[in-house]
Amino acid sequence: MITASAALSAIPSGLRDPLIAEYQSIVQNFLEHRWLPSELGGGRFSEIVYTILDGHAKKSYAAGPTKPPDFVAACRQLEKNTHVPRSFQILIPRTLPALYEIRNNRSVGHVGGDVDPNHMDSVAVLSLSNWVMAELVRVFHGLSVDEAQKVVDLLAEMRVPIIWSDGNVKRVLRPKLKLPEQLQLLIATSIPDVSIDELIYWTEAKDKKHFMKTVRKLHKERLVEYTPSTARVKILPPGTKAVQEMVREKDLTGI
């Protein structure tokens, strides 16, 4: 599958790299229940996307993200660009101010807002950012909505410091963790799914019968979804929650 970076290759690296990094930061902070950083990221993400839409319309991109003096007014100006795709003219420019508003006026960007950083607002930031990313990928690379979403989902892969990877092999750097814990961590950091053979190799499991019994137990507990016909496993929402709790309780945020 094409990567998000490749799908967005039409965007200069000075904007593409910050866009991807900021989106991944929003996702990671959300997974770690860090509501304030997640919501702050929504504001920075909005500024980067605005700069991209403005550059696309003008056929000349800024070297890096810019912050217009009046963000809402600047987004309204984007609606005058009738020569760009409708989502770049109407939908995204009308979505960005909502993201920006959460950062500015709900005790996120500064003291004095009327609501403290919370899960509800962070869900809104994550959902809106996810949709915007998928739409950028769809338009810039000419993909279908489903294909674009799959590309963006790869960016939502959970990042855990104790999971090392060279792009092909993954290792849990806390080998004393029990097999179920290692499997949950490896599956959660492998989006959209991972093969049984890869998991066996990554964990260096010697007893395949015990290994499969463990996988099936995780499946029965609805922490993962195991598909025998394809021999692949994916994390389920309860599994994601369990991994988040494991990371916090066992202090797995550092090597």
Side-chain angles (χ1 to χ4, degrees):
M1 182 183 294
I2 188 172
T3 65
S5 183
L8 298 171
S9 60
I11 303 173
S13 60
L15 293 172
R16 181 179 66 249
D17 294 346
L19 173 73
I20 293 173
E22 199 61 58
Y23 175 72
Q24 290 182 313
S25 176
I26 290 172
V27 172
Q28 186 70 14
N29 285 322
F30 180 85
L31 292 174
E32 294 176 4
H33 291 201
R34 300 173 68 224
W35 311 135
L36 179 59
S38 180
E39 293 171 32
L40 278 171
R44 292 189 292 267
F45 178 82
S46 299
E47 292 168 359
I48 298 168
V49 174
Y50 164 80
T51 308
I52 290 171
L53 296 187
D54 185 55
H56 176 74
K58 294 176 179 176
K59 294 182 172 55
S60 177
Y61 290 96
T66 59
K67 179 181 178 181
D70 187 333
F71 189 77
V72 174
C75 287
R76 286 176 182 156
Q77 285 295 115
L78 293 176
E79 295 186 27
K80 296 180 180 180
N81 298 324
T82 57
H83 60 291
V84 301
R86 186 167 178 79
S87 61
F88 282 22
Q89 178 198 2
I90 302 296
L91 297 178
I92 298 179
R94 292 184 182 180
T95 298
L96 296 182
L99 270 172
Y100 207 72
E101 179 71 8
I102 292 175
R103 180 232 183 256
N104 275 355
N105 292 317
R106 288 174 72 87
S107 286
V108 177
H110 52 75
V111 176
D114 59 356
V115 180
D116 289 332
N118 60 81
H119 176 262
M120 180 181 70
D121 286 357
S122 294
V123 168
V125 169
L126 178 62
S127 299
L128 292 173
S129 300
N130 180 277
W131 178 83
V132 169
M133 281 294 290
E135 190 61 15
L136 290 174
V137 168
R138 185 189 71 80
V139 172
F140 277 110
H141 203 69
L143 299 176
S144 69
V145 172
D146 288 343
E147 290 170 330
Q149 187 61 59
K150 288 178 181 177
V151 171
V152 174
D153 284 346
L154 291 175
L155 294 175
E157 184 174 276
M158 182 182 289
R159 288 171 290 169
V160 180
I162 66 161
I163 300 296
W164 171 88
S165 176
D166 64 358
N168 295 308
V169 178
K170 290 187 178 183
R171 300 292 187 201
V172 178
L173 301 182
R174 296 273 185 90
K176 291 186 178 180
L177 288 174
K178 296 179 181 179
L179 180 60
E181 295 170 332
Q182 292 196 39
L183 286 176
Q184 289 179 77
L185 287 167
L186 290 168
I187 295 168
T189 55
S190 302
I191 301 297
D193 57 18
V194 60
S195 73
I196 290 294
D197 286 344
E198 287 175 306
L199 290 172
I200 290 175
Y201 179 62
W202 294 346
T203 58
E204 298 183 311
K206 304 299 182 184
D207 187 341
K208 187 172 181 179
K209 184 177 180 180
H210 172 67
F211 179 92
M212 291 308 303
K213 183 179 180 180
T214 303
V215 170
R216 291 190 180 95
K217 185 174 186 294
L218 292 173
H219 173 86
K220 186 176 182 179
E221 293 172 349
R222 295 297 181 263
L223 297 174
V224 306
E225 178 64 23
Y226 167 54
T227 306
S229 61
T230 60
R232 300 190 71 83
V233 193
K234 66 174 63 175
I235 197 74
L236 292 177
T240 299
K241 183 177 180 181
V243 169
Q244 293 167 1
E245 293 173 354
M246 185 197 312
V247 169
R248 289 196 298 273
E249 292 173 4
K250 294 184 177 291
D251 189 23
L252 305 180
T253 56
I255 300 174

